[in-house]
Amino acid sequence: MCLSIPAKIEQIEGDMALCTVGGAEYHASIQMLDYEELNVGDYVLLHTGFAIQKISKEEADATLKIFNEFEKLNVSLDEEEIQTGKRIV
Amino acid sequence: MKYIDEYRDKDKVLSLAELIRKTSVKPIRLMEVCGGHTMSIQRFGIPSLLPETIELVSGPGCPVCVTSRSFIDQAIAYSKLENVIITTYGDLIRVPGSTSTLDKEKAAGADIRMVYSILDALNIAKANKHKKVIFLGIGFETTSPASAAGIIKAQMAGLFNFSVFSAHKIMPPPMAALIDEGVNINGYIGPGHVSTITGSHIYDFIPQKYGLGVVISGFEPLDLLQSVYMLVKQHETNSPKVEIQYSRVVKPEGNAKAQDMLDEVFYLRKDWWRGLGELEASGMGIRDKYAEFDAEKQFDVEVEPTREDKGCICGDILKGLKKPSDCKLFGKACTPAEPVGACMVSNEGACHAYYRYNKDSQ
């Protein structure tokens, strides 16, 4: 029920916005956000016809960066385990 | 799709799963309390990526599943009134009441319409001024702000033929009740979209009072695995805390505008949860100042006595005490096509998700 999907803002009309999800268009209410601060091209999270949050590009990029670091950490743990012959936690 | 595909990268998923296997030493049991997580965990086969030390269990995160049959019975009673249109999210339409479903009543002639948004229900009310339009308000803090916004809009537009029948509930009371009941878990995978509205501070009492961690998670495989990793690290180092994995959407303070709307329209009241019974201040009733938009105050109906199905263990499944496959009815008398209990009806119910994604391996 809490299913929400990322949607791109294409047009803003007062407290409503025309959004696209994949190829589909949808008119969503943006009244739950500080919509004066929203811009065309921003991504919002849509739930039952309402945008409930603006998606933070900076935070999204930061999370993706962490996944890259996990990959590196994994490789370095493997190398350490091979060198020491011990399980590294 | 942006903000989805990049969190499904296969190599990163396998690498993170490997890192979790290297990190987890102490056995740990984690509960997710969001139906969306239940679905994602089964859909992406997350348990198959985890070591034996980690067990994932589903909690009371599916609103349809925890709602009482008496709510469905009362909605059906409303649908039988003259000149009434019932509007509802699709999730509720096939949920069994004591002797019928909204779907069956619709087939028998009741005017019951599925909507995607309460805004659609308001448009139905505008187009049918001579009829009473009742919206069935169900869901946790993700969904209830939409109902609040709908009620405020109805008042501003003078749509006095519109009302909401509220079964809205809030998440923290069942999370506390489960631990109080002694359900064996070591941490919560916190609900991502509930927390988008509420923020993360509503869970602060969980590490403080109970010594359990909460990591608020996104819904993609990498999100869920990172959340498991964060909870495993907390568990291994005995440092339970509230953390946000889903930081691209969830802020510690949440969505203040939505919170204000909730506070404007709703008050907290005692409510009944399948498996947990009555919990103080866990449901959302409509404030007296919006009584004109409260179906409970506008319509007086006689509701049939509530009857629960014998043999259905949905209540124990919602508490993480049993798995769907422990139920005698699962996959036999109870399937998505012919559901007995609410956990099989909703596509985010634990039974439905297990059936859909794991049936072949049962």
Side-chain angles (χ1 to χ4, degrees):
Chain A
M1 272 225 71
C2 294
L3 182 70
S4 311
I5 36 174
K8 188 179 178 187
I9 295 180
E10 304 288 352
Q11 215 174 306
I12 297 173
E13 298 142 10
D15 67 354
M16 297 294 285
L18 174 67
C19 302
T20 47
V21 180
E25 289 188 340
Y26 186 79
H27 282 277
S29 167
I30 47 174
Q31 71 174 105
M32 279 181 210
L33 304 180
D34 293 322
Y35 52 86
E36 302 84 0
E37 292 168 20
L38 288 176
N39 293 304
V40 169
D42 284 346
Y43 277 77
V44 290
L45 198 62
L46 280 194
H47 175 74
T48 64
F50 291 81
I52 60 169
Q53 192 58 275
K54 182 182 165 185
I55 299 175
S56 161
K57 189 179 178 309
E58 295 74 26
E59 288 290 341
D61 289 344
T63 304
L64 290 175
K65 228 172 164 182
I66 292 173
F67 296 136
N68 290 333
E69 281 164 22
F70 284 149
E71 272 189 309
K72 283 184 209 154
L73 176 63
N74 211 1
V75 171
S76 72
L77 281 176
D78 279 344
E79 284 166 1
E80 212 174 325
E81 281 185 353
I82 291 165
Q83 278 169 15
T84 60
K86 282 185 199 159
R87 184 178 172 185
I88 309 291
V89 175
Chain B
M1 263 164 64
K2 192 165 167 64
Y3 296 120
I4 291 183
D5 295 340
E6 55 270 50
Y7 298 90
R8 295 183 180 177
D9 183 287
K10 187 182 163 194
D11 291 339
K12 289 190 172 65
V13 164
L14 293 175
S15 173
L16 186 47
E18 179 64 32
L19 189 60
I20 292 169
R21 279 197 289 276
K22 285 174 184 156
T23 311
S24 177
V25 178
K26 295 197 284 186
I28 180 171
R29 204 161 185 259
L30 301 172
M31 176 176 273
E32 93 273 355
V33 284
C34 169
H37 284 153
T38 305
M39 256 169 70
S40 290
I41 286 168
Q42 296 306 325
R43 180 179 172 203
F44 296 117
I46 302 293
S48 67
L49 294 167
L50 301 176
E52 278 180 7
T53 44
I54 304 173
E55 189 184 354
L56 301 184
V57 287
S58 299
C62 155
V64 166
C65 304
V66 295
T67 298
S68 72
R69 285 198 162 180
S70 67
F71 178 81
I72 302 291
D73 295 340
Q74 193 161 334
I76 287 171
Y78 289 148
S79 79
K80 290 180 175 166
L81 294 171
E82 288 276 308
N83 285 322
V84 160
I85 301 172
I86 302 289
T87 52
T88 175
Y89 295 129
D91 306 56
L92 272 179
I93 201 97
R94 291 176 60 228
V95 178
S98 294
T99 54
S100 185
T101 64
L102 290 164
D103 204 20
K104 283 182 189 158
E105 296 302 318
K106 183 176 163 69
D111 195 346
I112 298 170
R113 306 185 192 181
M114 269 188 276
V115 291
Y116 168 68
S117 168
I118 194 169
L119 300 175
D120 303 331
L122 288 172
N123 286 334
I124 292 172
K126 263 183 221 156
N128 294 273
K129 287 271 175 66
H130 58 294
K131 293 199 172 184
K132 302 278 188 189
V133 175
I134 302 174
F135 177 76
L136 306 182
I138 184 164
F140 302 129
E141 292 96 325
T142 322
T143 311
S144 48
S147 292
I151 288 171
I152 294 168
K153 270 183 188 286
Q155 191 191 48
M156 283 166 66
L159 272 179
F160 294 105
N161 62 329
F162 176 81
S163 62
V164 172
F165 178 29
S166 172
H168 287 302
K169 289 177 166 57
I170 62 168
M171 250 359 265
M175 291 171 79
L178 282 167
I179 312 172
D180 286 335
E181 273 200 26
V183 172
N184 173 28
I185 51 170
N186 306 101
Y188 278 115
I189 297 175
H193 293 145
V194 161
S195 312
T196 301
I197 302 294
T198 63
S200 60
H201 296 306
I202 61 161
Y203 311 110
D204 287 346
F205 73 98
I206 295 177
Q208 283 163 12
K209 184 175 171 194
Y210 299 106
L212 296 188
V214 180
V215 172
I216 298 163
S217 178
F219 294 81
E220 299 305 325
L222 278 170
D223 291 322
L224 286 159
L225 284 171
Q226 189 188 359
S227 300
V228 168
Y229 177 66
M230 291 162 85
L231 283 161
V232 165
K233 291 262 278 194
Q234 288 188 17
H235 188 54
E236 293 294 335
T237 54
N238 292 320
S239 53
K241 51 184 171 277
V242 177
E243 293 184 283
I244 302 172
Q245 180 279 331
Y246 198 25
S247 58
R248 60 190 181 276
V249 173
V250 178
K251 297 175 177 26
E253 69 279 13
N255 180 332
K257 263 193 167 179
Q259 290 166 21
D260 287 347
M261 278 183 206
L262 283 179
D263 193 43
E264 166 68 20
V265 174
F266 293 108
Y267 70 98
L268 293 180
R269 61 181 177 185
K270 192 191 277 184
D271 205 349
W272 185 93
W273 295 65
R274 187 177 310 283
L276 291 165
E278 282 193 332
L279 300 178
E280 289 295 335
S282 67
M284 303 184 99
I286 296 168
R287 289 190 190 276
D288 280 343
K289 63 175 164 178
Y290 292 102
E292 285 162 303
F293 305 96
D294 184 350
E296 286 175 79
K297 297 202 180 99
Q298 292 302 312
F299 304 98
D300 200 13
V301 284
E302 215 167 285
V303 183
E304 62 183 308
T306 310
R307 271 187 273 173
E308 293 283 345
D309 253 301
K310 286 183 186 145
C312 173
I313 60 165
C314 197
D316 283 345
I317 289 168
L318 289 164
K319 288 197 285 189
L321 296 175
K322 297 216 168 118
K323 289 199 178 268
S325 51
D326 295 332
C327 182
K328 283 187 288 190
L329 308 178
F330 180 76
K332 298 181 184 99
C334 185
T335 63
E338 293 283 339
V340 175
C343 299
M344 186 60 95
V345 181
S346 171
N347 58 10
E348 58 184 27
C351 294
H352 189 113
Y354 272 63
Y355 186 90
R356 189 159 170 202
Y357 299 112
N358 285 313
K359 190 176 171 289
D360 295 338
S361 61
Q362 295 289 332

